[in-house]
Amino acid sequence: MPESPAGELTSAQAEIARLAPELLAVARYLVSSDSDARDLVQHTIEIGLRRLGQLREPTKIRAWLIAIETREASGWRRRLRHVLSLDAAVHEIVAPGGSFEHQVTVRDALRRLPPRTRAAVVLHHMAGLSVSEPAAALKVSDNTVKSQLRLGLARLREDLR
Amino acid sequence: MTDLLDDRHVLDNLREVFRADVQRAEQDLLEQPSPVRVSSAGRHIGVLVVGLVVVGALAIALRSPLFSSLSSIGGAGSSSGTEPSGGSPTAPASPTQTLALIGGLPTNLNGLPVLRGDDALTAFRSANPGQELQVGGWLSAGQVLSCPVLRPGEWWNPCLAIGLHETSANGPLIFVYPGPSPIPTPKVEAGFTQPIVFSVHTGDASCPTDNLDCHVLPVIDSVAWIGAVVPVPTNFGPAPSGGLTRADAVDTARASAKANSSGPLTLVSAQAGPYGIVGPSGSDVRADRWVWAVFFTGQFPAPDCADSACLSQSTFLVVLDYQSGDVLIEESPA
């Protein structure tokens, strides 16, 4: 753990805990199985806790953690392939409230997007990160993310027509 | 779906879906706080390694009375270890006692064997409920564990488990549980490790009757012995004889990387050494296992990529067993 005043650390840790559901919601779009998504969240939180001392702007802890999660997702499956058996099935996410059918349609359309386009759409349009934050996490330029966002929206428009 | 014909409607729908996703995730985390399958700890040790080395400090902030006293014992112990006295399981206790150590851990304490690794897992499964056992291993940083969301009283949640490495150079982990009445356990800083022996029992009376997995979990009764905090070793001696040549390692790794890339590959480096020095963190490969770590650059797909549309310039790491050439890890970006 980083050396920080106890109160600050506790507050940051509590904030990380509070963000776990959002991290899981994002993770489910970044990796293919629910168990992978949960493992990814755990891994992200671990890294977050260890690097708390490097977080310069505490108000950006949410974007910082989602960026960590996105970067980790990139190396995730290949590393695990040799360590454990991944679940083959992708669990459908049944969300409470709203129109279930409608939400499933949107999620299906999202899953058909190329992974990087999907990541850009999820991080920017759904999780609310700025364009530069997913760009940094995905190690691409802002313009590339903007292109992916345009492409993603166009594909979604067609898919949902 | 005619209302989704313009971007604004698409965006509104995406936000609505994400709000529902977050609600669902909240519910899931409350219902199933652990991502780790406990049912066959041996088979899923890899899962445990990756999924459990987590959130150590969250226990601390969120719920664990255990944490407030963790740091007080972090540096306890001597070069040959101490046996805490009977009254307080973690008091820095009795005078140093000379013990026969193998691999830095005593083999026997108080007339009972100190179990390690697979022997311990076997004993946990076959022990009678409440039977006293002793299990030893090496603590390392980040292994006092918890989860962000836990239901009160669920001490059997694997996220609360404490990992014990087989050796001071990491390696396979087994897990012990603080149980319904946690006692303070040491905290080890990054880069350090500490040998420890726990007195444990299985078949804890507080396990739910329908949770059969819980009954084979080792619950900590006390710290039976604790050794000195030492740096994780980095000097692992010379390479074993008969290993792959650099050319062979590069060829093997290139074949592995090519299977993941349609474009040309550029070799960046090929380094032989103990995994703990040349390999990436986050795996259960023993730190003292000799490996080849071979890096390439090239066009590699993002994870879950179904077609070539998402190829991008990236790095690729292949870790091979130094002697057999077996692929241990592939990772991109490396």
Side-chain angles (χ1 to χ4, degrees), chain A residues 28 38 77 79 102 157, chain B residues 7 13 28 32 281 331:
Chain A
R28 282 170 162 161
R38 286 164 174 266
R77 286 188 71 87
R79 176 178 295 189
H102 175 77
R157 253 196 333 264
Chain B
D7 283 352
N13 277 275
D28 286 350
Q32 295 176 280
S281 60
E331 187 173 299

Side-chain angles (χ1 to χ4, degrees), chain A residues 128-157:
Chain A
L129 270 57
S130 70
V131 167
S132 59
E133 285 165 336
L138 295 165
K139 295 182 181 172
V140 295
S141 68
D142 287 7
N143 283 338
T144 302
V145 168
K146 287 176 187 169
S147 301
Q148 286 168 332
L149 291 172
R150 275 196 297 274
L151 170 71
L153 282 186
R155 290 273 294 267
L156 288 171
R157 253 196 333 264

Side-chain angles (χ1 to χ4, degrees), chain B residues 43-274:
Chain B
R43 188 159 56 87
H44 287 302
I45 192 72
V47 180
L48 293 171
V49 170
V50 177
L52 273 186
V53 181
V54 189
V55 202
L58 272 185
I60 303 165
L62 296 180
R63 56 180 61 255
S64 180
L66 166 139
F67 178 68
S68 59
S69 30
L70 288 183
S71 56
S72 65
I73 194 172
S78 70
S79 60
S80 58
T82 59
E83 285 186 78
S85 59
S88 166
T90 56
S94 57
T96 299
Q97 179 179 335
T98 304
L99 293 166
L101 303 182
I102 292 183
L105 288 163
T107 55
N108 268 274
L109 276 177
N110 309 316
L112 285 175
V114 174
L115 303 162
R116 305 186 203 186
D118 288 345
D119 289 343
L121 294 176
T122 303
F124 299 154
R125 286 190 283 269
S126 60
N128 295 319
Q131 179 184 341
E132 183 186 356
L133 300 167
Q134 289 181 152
V135 57
W138 293 79
L139 297 167
S140 59
Q143 286 173 4
V144 179
L145 306 165
S146 184
C147 280
V149 182
L150 280 173
R151 280 186 286 202
E154 287 191 348
W155 61 261
W156 53 86
N157 188 305
C159 293
L160 288 171
I162 295 173
L164 294 175
H165 283 288
E166 196 171 291
T167 74
S168 59
N170 299 331
L173 280 164
I174 59 173
F175 293 90
V176 294
Y177 289 74
S181 308
I183 61 163
T185 49
K187 179 189 176 197
V188 180
E189 298 299 325
F192 291 86
T193 183
Q194 184 173 28
I196 192 165
V197 176
F198 288 112
S199 177
V200 300
H201 68 273
T202 57
D204 192 90
S206 64
C207 281
T209 51
D210 60 347
N211 184 345
L212 298 181
D213 293 324
C214 179
H215 292 273
V216 297
L217 298 180
V219 177
I220 298 170
D221 293 316
S222 62
V223 177
W225 177 89
I226 199 166
V229 176
V230 295
V232 173
T234 53
N235 180 7
F236 299 107
S241 59
L244 262 61
T245 64
R246 184 178 188 279
D248 287 345
V250 170
D251 285 348
T252 305
R254 187 184 295 278
S256 175
K258 262 190 177 304
N260 292 279
S261 172
S262 58
L265 297 172
T266 303
L267 176 67
V268 177
S269 67
Q271 191 181 7

Side-chain angles (χ1 to χ4, degrees), chain A residues 10-61:
Chain A
T10 300
S11 157
Q13 288 167 341
E15 180 66 6
I16 288 177
R18 193 185 65 75
L19 291 169
E22 273 193 274
L23 292 173
L24 181 57
V26 171
R28 282 170 162 161
Y29 288 106
L30 299 179
V31 294
S32 63
S33 82
D34 196 56
S35 60
D36 281 2
R38 286 164 174 266
D39 286 347
L40 178 58
V41 172
Q42 293 268 12
H43 193 57
T44 300
I45 290 174
E46 179 207 12
I47 293 172
L49 287 167
R50 289 189 178 176
R51 296 185 189 165
L52 260 181
Q54 299 170 17
L55 177 62
R56 293 185 181 176
E57 294 183 66
T59 55
K60 296 202 168 178
I61 191 168

Side-chain angles (χ1 to χ4, degrees), chain A residues 55-76:
Chain A
L55 177 62
R56 293 185 181 176
E57 294 183 66
T59 55
K60 296 202 168 178
I61 191 168
R62 178 176 173 277
W64 179 70
L65 279 174
I66 293 174
I68 289 174
E69 181 175 66
T70 306
R71 278 193 296 271
E72 289 302 306
S74 301
W76 191 248

Side-chain angles (χ1 to χ4, degrees), chain A residues 92-107:
Chain A
E92 180 51 74
I93 304 163
V94 183
S99 157
F100 170 67
E101 185 189 352
H102 175 77
Q103 291 177 4
V104 168
T105 305
V106 175
R107 287 191 193 96

